[in-house]
Short mmCIF file of all heavy atoms in Angstrom, two decimals:
data_model
loop_
_atom_site.label_atom_id
_atom_site.label_comp_id
_atom_site.label_asym_id
_atom_site.label_seq_id
_atom_site.Cartn_x
_atom_site.Cartn_y
_atom_site.Cartn_z
N GLN Y 698 16.38 -1.84 25.76
CA GLN Y 698 15.16 -2.62 25.49
C GLN Y 698 15.50 -4.05 25.09
O GLN Y 698 14.80 -4.99 25.45
CB GLN Y 698 14.33 -1.94 24.40
CG GLN Y 698 13.56 -0.74 24.92
CD GLN Y 698 12.93 0.08 23.81
OE1 GLN Y 698 13.30 -0.05 22.64
NE2 GLN Y 698 11.99 0.93 24.17
N GLY Y 699 16.59 -4.20 24.31
CA GLY Y 699 17.02 -5.55 23.94
C GLY Y 699 17.35 -6.36 25.18
O GLY Y 699 16.97 -7.52 25.34
N LEU Y 700 18.09 -5.71 26.07
CA LEU Y 700 18.50 -6.36 27.31
C LEU Y 700 17.29 -6.64 28.20
O LEU Y 700 17.18 -7.71 28.80
CB LEU Y 700 19.47 -5.41 28.03
CG LEU Y 700 20.56 -6.04 28.90
CD1 LEU Y 700 21.33 -7.09 28.12
CD2 LEU Y 700 21.52 -4.94 29.38
N GLU Y 701 16.38 -5.68 28.23
CA GLU Y 701 15.16 -5.84 29.02
C GLU Y 701 14.39 -7.07 28.54
O GLU Y 701 13.86 -7.85 29.32
CB GLU Y 701 14.28 -4.60 28.87
CG GLU Y 701 13.00 -4.64 29.69
CD GLU Y 701 12.06 -3.49 29.34
OE1 GLU Y 701 12.13 -2.97 28.19
OE2 GLU Y 701 11.25 -3.12 30.19
N TYR Y 702 14.41 -7.27 27.22
CA TYR Y 702 13.69 -8.42 26.68
C TYR Y 702 14.34 -9.72 27.13
O TYR Y 702 13.65 -10.67 27.52
CB TYR Y 702 13.65 -8.33 25.16
CG TYR Y 702 12.81 -9.44 24.56
CD1 TYR Y 702 11.42 -9.38 24.63
CD2 TYR Y 702 13.40 -10.56 24.00
CE1 TYR Y 702 10.64 -10.39 24.14
CE2 TYR Y 702 12.63 -11.59 23.50
CZ TYR Y 702 11.25 -11.50 23.57
OH TYR Y 702 10.48 -12.52 23.09
N LEU Y 703 15.67 -9.77 27.07
CA LEU Y 703 16.37 -10.99 27.51
C LEU Y 703 16.09 -11.26 28.98
O LEU Y 703 15.90 -12.39 29.40
CB LEU Y 703 17.87 -10.84 27.28
CG LEU Y 703 18.34 -10.80 25.82
CD1 LEU Y 703 19.83 -10.53 25.74
CD2 LEU Y 703 18.00 -12.11 25.11
N HIS Y 704 16.08 -10.18 29.78
CA HIS Y 704 15.94 -10.36 31.22
C HIS Y 704 14.50 -10.60 31.66
O HIS Y 704 14.25 -11.37 32.56
CB HIS Y 704 16.45 -9.11 31.97
CG HIS Y 704 17.94 -8.97 31.88
ND1 HIS Y 704 18.62 -7.91 32.42
CD2 HIS Y 704 18.89 -9.74 31.30
CE1 HIS Y 704 19.92 -8.03 32.18
NE2 HIS Y 704 20.10 -9.14 31.50
N HIS Y 705 13.57 -9.89 31.02
CA HIS Y 705 12.20 -9.93 31.52
C HIS Y 705 11.20 -10.48 30.53
O HIS Y 705 10.09 -10.79 30.90
CB HIS Y 705 11.76 -8.53 31.96
CG HIS Y 705 12.66 -7.93 32.99
ND1 HIS Y 705 12.68 -8.36 34.30
CD2 HIS Y 705 13.61 -6.97 32.90
CE1 HIS Y 705 13.59 -7.66 34.97
NE2 HIS Y 705 14.17 -6.82 34.15
N GLY Y 706 11.62 -10.59 29.26
CA GLY Y 706 10.70 -11.11 28.25
C GLY Y 706 10.79 -12.61 28.12
O GLY Y 706 9.99 -13.23 27.45
N CYS Y 707 11.82 -13.20 28.72
CA CYS Y 707 12.02 -14.64 28.59
C CYS Y 707 11.92 -15.31 29.95
O CYS Y 707 12.31 -14.73 30.96
CB CYS Y 707 13.41 -14.95 28.02
SG CYS Y 707 13.68 -14.28 26.39
N ARG Y 708 11.34 -16.48 29.96
CA ARG Y 708 11.27 -17.27 31.19
C ARG Y 708 11.91 -18.62 30.94
O ARG Y 708 11.43 -19.35 30.08
CB ARG Y 708 9.83 -17.47 31.64
CG ARG Y 708 9.15 -16.22 32.12
CD ARG Y 708 9.52 -15.88 33.56
NE ARG Y 708 8.94 -14.61 33.97
CZ ARG Y 708 9.47 -13.42 33.68
NH1 ARG Y 708 10.59 -13.34 32.99
NH2 ARG Y 708 8.88 -12.31 34.07
N PRO Y 709 12.96 -19.03 31.61
CA PRO Y 709 13.69 -18.17 32.55
C PRO Y 709 14.48 -17.11 31.80
O PRO Y 709 14.69 -17.26 30.61
CB PRO Y 709 14.61 -19.17 33.25
CG PRO Y 709 14.79 -20.28 32.28
CD PRO Y 709 13.52 -20.37 31.50
N PRO Y 710 14.92 -16.10 32.49
CA PRO Y 710 15.62 -15.00 31.82
C PRO Y 710 16.92 -15.46 31.19
O PRO Y 710 17.52 -16.44 31.62
CB PRO Y 710 15.90 -14.01 32.96
CG PRO Y 710 15.10 -14.47 34.11
CD PRO Y 710 14.86 -15.93 33.94
N ILE Y 711 17.33 -14.75 30.16
CA ILE Y 711 18.63 -15.00 29.56
C ILE Y 711 19.60 -13.95 30.06
O ILE Y 711 19.32 -12.75 29.96
CB ILE Y 711 18.56 -14.92 28.02
CG1 ILE Y 711 17.62 -15.98 27.47
CG2 ILE Y 711 19.95 -15.05 27.42
CD1 ILE Y 711 17.42 -15.88 25.97
N VAL Y 712 20.71 -14.40 30.63
CA VAL Y 712 21.76 -13.45 30.99
C VAL Y 712 22.74 -13.43 29.83
O VAL Y 712 23.22 -14.47 29.38
CB VAL Y 712 22.47 -13.89 32.29
CG1 VAL Y 712 23.59 -12.92 32.62
CG2 VAL Y 712 21.45 -13.95 33.43
N HIS Y 713 22.98 -12.26 29.32
CA HIS Y 713 23.80 -12.16 28.12
C HIS Y 713 25.24 -12.57 28.40
O HIS Y 713 25.85 -13.31 27.65
CB HIS Y 713 23.73 -10.72 27.60
CG HIS Y 713 24.39 -10.52 26.27
ND1 HIS Y 713 25.73 -10.74 26.05
CD2 HIS Y 713 23.87 -10.13 25.07
CE1 HIS Y 713 26.01 -10.49 24.79
NE2 HIS Y 713 24.90 -10.13 24.16
N ARG Y 714 25.80 -12.07 29.49
CA ARG Y 714 27.17 -12.36 29.94
C ARG Y 714 28.23 -11.59 29.18
O ARG Y 714 29.39 -11.62 29.55
CB ARG Y 714 27.52 -13.85 29.79
CG ARG Y 714 26.79 -14.73 30.75
CD ARG Y 714 27.08 -16.17 30.40
NE ARG Y 714 26.74 -17.04 31.50
CZ ARG Y 714 27.60 -17.90 32.04
NH1 ARG Y 714 28.84 -17.96 31.59
NH2 ARG Y 714 27.22 -18.66 33.02
N ASP Y 715 27.91 -11.00 28.09
CA ASP Y 715 28.98 -10.32 27.35
C ASP Y 715 28.46 -9.03 26.73
O ASP Y 715 28.65 -8.78 25.54
CB ASP Y 715 29.56 -11.25 26.28
CG ASP Y 715 30.95 -10.82 25.84
OD1 ASP Y 715 31.54 -9.93 26.50
OD2 ASP Y 715 31.43 -11.35 24.82
N VAL Y 716 27.78 -8.24 27.55
CA VAL Y 716 27.29 -6.95 27.06
C VAL Y 716 28.48 -6.01 26.91
O VAL Y 716 29.27 -5.85 27.82
CB VAL Y 716 26.27 -6.34 28.05
CG1 VAL Y 716 25.88 -4.93 27.62
CG2 VAL Y 716 25.05 -7.24 28.17
N LYS Y 717 28.62 -5.45 25.73
CA LYS Y 717 29.70 -4.50 25.47
C LYS Y 717 29.39 -3.77 24.18
O LYS Y 717 28.53 -4.21 23.40
CB LYS Y 717 31.03 -5.23 25.36
CG LYS Y 717 31.04 -6.32 24.29
CD LYS Y 717 32.35 -7.07 24.31
CE LYS Y 717 32.32 -8.25 23.33
NZ LYS Y 717 33.57 -9.01 23.36
N THR Y 718 30.05 -2.67 23.97
CA THR Y 718 29.76 -1.88 22.77
C THR Y 718 30.03 -2.68 21.50
O THR Y 718 29.36 -2.47 20.49
CB THR Y 718 30.57 -0.57 22.74
OG1 THR Y 718 31.91 -0.87 23.10
CG2 THR Y 718 29.98 0.45 23.68
N ALA Y 719 30.98 -3.63 21.57
CA ALA Y 719 31.26 -4.42 20.38
C ALA Y 719 30.12 -5.38 20.06
O ALA Y 719 30.03 -5.90 18.95
CB ALA Y 719 32.56 -5.19 20.55
N ASN Y 720 29.26 -5.63 21.03
CA ASN Y 720 28.13 -6.52 20.81
C ASN Y 720 26.82 -5.78 20.59
O ASN Y 720 25.75 -6.37 20.64
CB ASN Y 720 27.97 -7.48 22.00
CG ASN Y 720 28.80 -8.74 21.79
OD1 ASN Y 720 29.16 -9.05 20.65
ND2 ASN Y 720 29.10 -9.43 22.87
N ILE Y 721 26.93 -4.49 20.40
CA ILE Y 721 25.73 -3.71 20.06
C ILE Y 721 25.90 -3.26 18.62
O ILE Y 721 26.86 -2.57 18.28
CB ILE Y 721 25.55 -2.53 21.03
CG1 ILE Y 721 25.21 -3.07 22.42
CG2 ILE Y 721 24.46 -1.59 20.52
CD1 ILE Y 721 25.19 -2.04 23.50
N LEU Y 722 25.00 -3.72 17.78
CA LEU Y 722 25.15 -3.46 16.34
C LEU Y 722 24.16 -2.37 15.92
O LEU Y 722 23.10 -2.21 16.51
CB LEU Y 722 24.87 -4.73 15.54
CG LEU Y 722 25.70 -5.95 15.95
CD1 LEU Y 722 25.38 -7.14 15.05
CD2 LEU Y 722 27.20 -5.64 15.91
N LEU Y 723 24.55 -1.65 14.88
CA LEU Y 723 23.73 -0.54 14.41
C LEU Y 723 23.33 -0.78 12.96
O LEU Y 723 24.19 -1.07 12.12
CB LEU Y 723 24.52 0.77 14.49
CG LEU Y 723 25.03 1.13 15.88
CD1 LEU Y 723 25.97 2.33 15.80
CD2 LEU Y 723 23.88 1.43 16.81
#
Side-chain angles (χ1 to χ4, degrees):
Q698 283 170 343
L700 211 51
E701 182 189 26
Y702 185 76
L703 292 175
H704 290 177
H705 303 288
C707 299
R708 291 279 175 279
I711 298 175
V712 178
H713 187 298
R714 291 173 163 235
D715 201 11
V716 174
K717 56 184 175 182
T718 45
N720 271 340
I721 292 172
L722 306 183
L723 301 172

